[in-house]
Amino acid sequence: MTTRILDGKFASEKIKQEIAKEVQSIKDNGGKCPHLAAILVGNDGASQTYVGNKERSCHQVGFDSTVLKFEDTITESELLEVIDNLNNDANIDGIIVQLPLPSHINENKIIWAIDPKKDVDGFHPANVGKMTLGLPSLLPATPSGIIKLLEIYGIETAGKNCVIIGRSNIVGRPLANLLSHKGKYADCTVTLCHSQTKNIEEYTRNADIVVAALGSPGFLKADMIKVGAIVIDVGITRIPDPTKKSGYRLSGDADYESVAPKCSWITPVPGGVGPMTIVSLLSNTLQSAKEK
Ligand code: GUN
């Protein structure tokens, strides 16, 4: 099988260049620079890296970016006040709260407090509801990044069997919804598998497209997919590795070495879905700025 790579780094750079051009033209015409505000609570290493990457990407395309960092002792009501201030700040176009939050804070309460027009993560129930109905909305970044990647590589999805492993609100469930919509880079027959699914390999072996989004390194093995399958690996787990300068390496949810040779297309980790998530966040922020 000839295996081709769905190169998220390449695709995201291409989209970033388009966004940067549009931002420059907004600025040249005296418009306001799009501005993303990110809230980071606590000292989780992975969350710090993600927020750092988002901030760097904002600067690459010419956005303004503000990162608000708080100790994990911040209370729910203090955080709600921060969000209220950002909602009312005309200079801010997009707000994200990096998840997970400490356990004493109710994540839903925080997400629901964000102005849906500034909810560039697409997590607010107003945006989730619109997405579900196929209405224009701010789409969640990872699912929309995956669909953009399929689009850039011209991968036809109509009528294909798509098995998604993992039912999170951030990836699995919204992606299942989007891929089952009518239209291009959708129109799939979607099966959503999860921790209670019995004999998961019976589903994945029949899938034309397998999306692994469960957060279990190397879970998807070669004997779980058919020859020619398209594998989208959303996993990104840090594995301690003393040979690396950082002290860790990143592992996807697919056992890449064994799975890749059997696939027609596969996303690498890193450099697959991750950069596409960030670029979708940038697109949402630009959309939100333009709609103001
Ligand atoms: N934590 C893991 N993924 C995400 C994401 O897409 N957005 C936010 N805000 N937090 C996350």
Side-chain angles (χ1 to χ4, degrees), residues 153-185:
Y153 282 92
I155 294 182
E156 291 295 330
T157 55
K160 287 197 170 144
N161 285 334
C162 176
V163 170
I164 300 171
I165 315 172
R167 56 179 157 183
S168 72
N169 288 339
I170 294 179
V171 184
R173 279 199 283 180
L175 183 63
N177 190 275
L178 289 171
L179 286 175
S180 66
H181 280 184
K182 275 189 186 171
K184 212 142 168 61
Y185 307 107

Side-chain angles (χ1 to χ4, degrees), residues 233-263:
D233 191 347
V234 185
I236 184 161
T237 306
R238 288 180 171 200
I239 309 279
D241 184 344
T243 69
K244 300 277 180 206
K245 214 169 100 192
S246 59
Y248 64 86
R249 66 188 161 81
L250 296 175
S251 171
D253 287 348
D255 178 25
Y256 191 88
E257 296 305 316
S258 75
V259 166
K262 232 176 145 177
C263 297

Side-chain angles (χ1 to χ4, degrees), residues 67-188:
V67 178
L68 300 164
K69 295 182 182 169
F70 300 97
E71 296 295 325
D72 58 11
T73 48
I74 189 170
T75 65
E76 192 174 276
S77 56
E78 284 167 338
L79 200 50
L80 287 169
E81 200 178 315
V82 172
I83 288 172
D84 195 41
N85 289 336
L86 294 172
N87 283 342
N88 292 313
D89 184 340
N91 195 32
I92 300 292
D93 303 294
I95 303 168
I96 59 161
V97 180
Q98 188 62 33
L99 304 177
L101 290 171
S103 56
H104 67 274
I105 297 176
N106 181 333
E107 279 184 3
N108 282 341
K109 234 176 161 177
I110 299 300
I111 289 167
W112 296 5
I114 297 172
D115 178 345
K117 292 196 200 74
K118 296 189 180 186
D119 167 40
V120 287
D121 258 329
F123 292 166
H124 190 285
N127 284 318
V128 177
K130 286 183 186 173
M131 173 197 69
T132 306
L133 295 169
L135 299 170
S137 67
L138 289 164
L139 295 175
T142 301
S144 108
I146 291 170
I147 289 169
K148 278 196 191 106
L149 195 55
L150 295 171
E151 187 178 340
I152 283 178
Y153 282 92
I155 294 182
E156 291 295 330
T157 55
K160 287 197 170 144
N161 285 334
C162 176
V163 170
I164 300 171
I165 315 172
R167 56 179 157 183
S168 72
N169 288 339
I170 294 179
V171 184
R173 279 199 283 180
L175 183 63
N177 190 275
L178 289 171
L179 286 175
S180 66
H181 280 184
K182 275 189 186 171
K184 212 142 168 61
Y185 307 107
D187 273 335
C188 288

